[in-house]
Amino acid sequence: MLTVDFTRFPLAAGDRVLDLGCGAGRHAFECYRRGAQVVALDRNAEEIREVAKWFAAMKEAGEAPEGATATAMEGDALNLPFPDESFDVVIISEVMEHIPDDKGVLAEMVRVLRPGGRIAITVPRYGPEKVCWTLSDAYHEVEGGHIRIYKADELLGKIREAGLKPYGTHHAHALHSPYWWLKCAFGVDNDKALPVRAYHKLLVWDIMKKPLATRVAEQLLNPVVGKSFVAYATKPHLSRAQA
C-alpha cells in the first residue's frame, strides 16, 4: 500500500533514492522495482534486517531491472551518513510526526538532496488524526508515538522555510480512517472487537483484490477523510549570485 503517488512523483531508472524512516520498506521496494538506486534507512535494526531480506528476495526473483541497486541500513535522520547532494530523490513517509526536531530532519534532507531533486513527505492528516487523538490517549501517548498533528499549511510552511519549493499535494487512504477510529474507540490493542475485525477484513480484501468499487470510493473520499496528507517539493537550483 503506497502513500506516495508515483504518477505525481515520477522516478527515472538510475535515480538515487533515499527512503528515510523506511519502516517495512514499502516505498523502497517500489523504487527498486522502478530501477532506482535505493537506500532504505531506519533507526529500527529489526525492520532494517527484514527490508534487507526482501531486497535480496526481489533480486533473486528478478523483480528489479538491471542496474537497480538496493541497500538497507540503520541510521539517524538528524545525522545522515551521506555527503551533501548525494540523492536525486528523498521520500519520508509517516515519520516526521514522530520526531521532536522536525526542522532538523528537513534540513538534513535538503542537505543530502541535489539541486533540482525532489522530496515526497507524507504525514497523518489533521482531521482524521484529531479524531484518533480524541478517542484514545493510548493511540499516541506511547514511546515513539505521534507527538504532533500537522495542519497542511503548517507543514508546507516548514517545507518552504527549509528552502524547498512545494509543487503538489493530495490526500490518501480514506478507507483507512474509519479503521483507526474503530481501533481507537474499542482499544488500540484490541484486535478481537467484531467491528475492528470486520473492517480489517474489508481492508485486506481491498488491498489484495483492488476492486473498482473501493478504488472509486476511496478517490471520492480522499479529499474529505484521507488518512494521509502528501506533499511534493523540489530543491531549487542556486543562482550564480547565490553560488
Side-chain angles (χ1 to χ4, degrees):
M1 185 186 72
L2 300 174
T3 307
V4 172
D5 181 352
F6 286 94
T7 65
R8 309 179 196 222
F9 191 70
L11 290 181
D15 274 352
R16 300 164 297 168
V17 178
L18 172 63
D19 186 1
L20 181 55
C22 65
R26 58 200 173 104
H27 289 106
F29 300 149
E30 181 64 20
C31 294
Y32 189 32
R33 291 188 187 98
R34 290 170 179 262
Q37 298 174 12
V38 185
V39 175
L41 183 143
D42 201 283
R43 62 184 294 182
N44 187 312
E46 184 176 344
E47 287 196 309
I48 284 299
R49 284 193 291 271
E50 286 300 311
V51 170
K53 289 178 183 178
W54 278 105
F55 278 151
M58 291 172 67
K59 182 177 180 180
E60 181 70 20
E63 290 189 38
E66 186 176 351
T69 62
T71 302
M73 62 184 295
E74 289 182 63
D76 181 356
L78 290 166
N79 186 25
L80 295 174
F82 310 112
D84 295 354
E85 303 179 8
S86 296
F87 295 96
D88 304 298
V89 172
V90 177
I91 296 171
I92 184 167
S93 182
E94 312 299 301
V95 173
M96 288 180 57
E97 66 276 10
H98 296 272
I99 301 176
D101 186 8
D102 57 347
K103 290 185 178 180
V105 173
L106 277 166
E108 272 293 87
M109 291 192 292
V110 171
R111 180 184 68 79
V112 302
L113 185 67
R114 68 164 176 82
R118 289 159 289 124
I119 282 182
I121 299 173
T122 90
V123 297
R125 184 184 186 175
Y126 183 85
E129 184 77 348
K130 189 68 173 178
V131 173
C132 289
W133 283 43
T134 300
L135 290 171
S136 171
D137 290 336
Y139 170 79
H140 64 97
E141 291 182 357
V142 295
E143 184 178 355
H146 299 183
I147 62 171
R148 69 174 65 82
I149 309 175
Y150 288 102
K151 291 185 176 179
D153 289 346
E154 174 194 1
L155 180 60
L156 291 172
K158 289 185 176 184
I159 290 172
R160 293 187 181 97
E161 287 175 13
L164 298 167
K165 184 178 180 181
Y167 71 83
T169 65
H170 65 90
H171 300 98
H173 309 318
L175 295 182
H176 288 250
S177 291
Y179 173 71
W180 283 103
W181 297 339
L182 289 169
K183 288 272 287 182
C184 289
F186 286 93
V188 290
D189 295 320
N190 180 12
D191 294 326
K192 295 182 179 179
L194 180 59
V196 174
R197 287 191 289 115
Y199 201 96
H200 183 262
K201 287 183 179 179
L202 170 66
L203 291 180
V204 171
W205 173 74
D206 173 59
I207 291 170
M208 298 301 295
K209 300 297 184 180
K210 297 181 174 61
L212 178 61
T214 56
R215 296 300 87 208
V216 171
E218 186 155 74
Q219 288 178 5
L220 293 173
L221 290 171
N222 273 337
V224 183
V225 292
K227 183 74 169 65
S228 294
F229 173 70
V230 189
Y232 305 106
T234 59
K235 179 177 177 178
H237 291 276
L238 293 177
S239 67
R240 287 188 177 181
Q242 288 173 316

